[in-house]
Amino acid sequence: MRRIWGEDGGSGLGSHDALLKDSRLSVPARGLAVYLLLLPDGARPDPQVLGARPGESAASIAAYLDELAAAGYLTRIPGRDAHGNAIEEVRLAANPGEHAAAAGRAFRWARPGPAVGD
């Protein structure tokens, strides 16, 4: 299992539990962040697929990602892939503001809405 907090042999949370304690975030937004942070290297999560899970929708996943961005855990960088398709690079960290350093995880997925430059 991928560790995102704590030292070897520790509880797994260590002193980096800001995400879990942040009252600005809903419980589902926290859960989505932990799920994404614990994905194995090379995983390619898809918000549309996550939204197809029972009790969720593409809109709810987008809202959780927006919560994480507003609280400083997530940054988005719009762009295009090698085929010209609109993509979004997402950087997610366990502590707000960490993504400016090399902490956290980066994912790329199809960007919803109009393409960059359209």
Side-chain angles (χ1 to χ4, degrees):
M1 173 183 257
R2 179 180 189 79
R3 294 184 67 83
I4 56 175
W5 298 289
E7 302 296 324
D8 288 339
S11 69
L13 292 176
S15 61
H16 302 291
D17 58 356
L19 175 70
L20 297 177
K21 291 181 177 179
D22 196 326
S23 62
R24 299 173 296 172
L25 299 174
S26 66
V27 171
R30 295 176 208 183
L32 177 61
V34 170
Y35 170 79
L36 292 172
L37 288 167
L38 289 173
L39 286 173
D41 291 335
R44 297 175 129 340
D46 182 338
Q48 297 298 320
V49 172
L50 293 172
R53 292 181 175 195
E56 298 298 343
S57 66
S60 67
I61 298 298
Y64 305 147
L65 293 171
D66 288 345
E67 278 184 60
L68 292 165
Y73 294 92
L74 181 141
T75 56
R76 294 177 166 126
I77 304 162
R80 292 192 181 274
D81 65 13
H83 303 289
N85 300 314
I87 60 165
E88 179 175 66
E89 182 174 324
V90 175
R91 295 185 183 273
L92 178 66
N95 287 300
E98 263 189 344
H99 28 273
R105 305 291 306 277
F107 302 103
R108 298 177 98 188
W109 51 56
R111 190 168 57 86
V116 174
D118 290 351

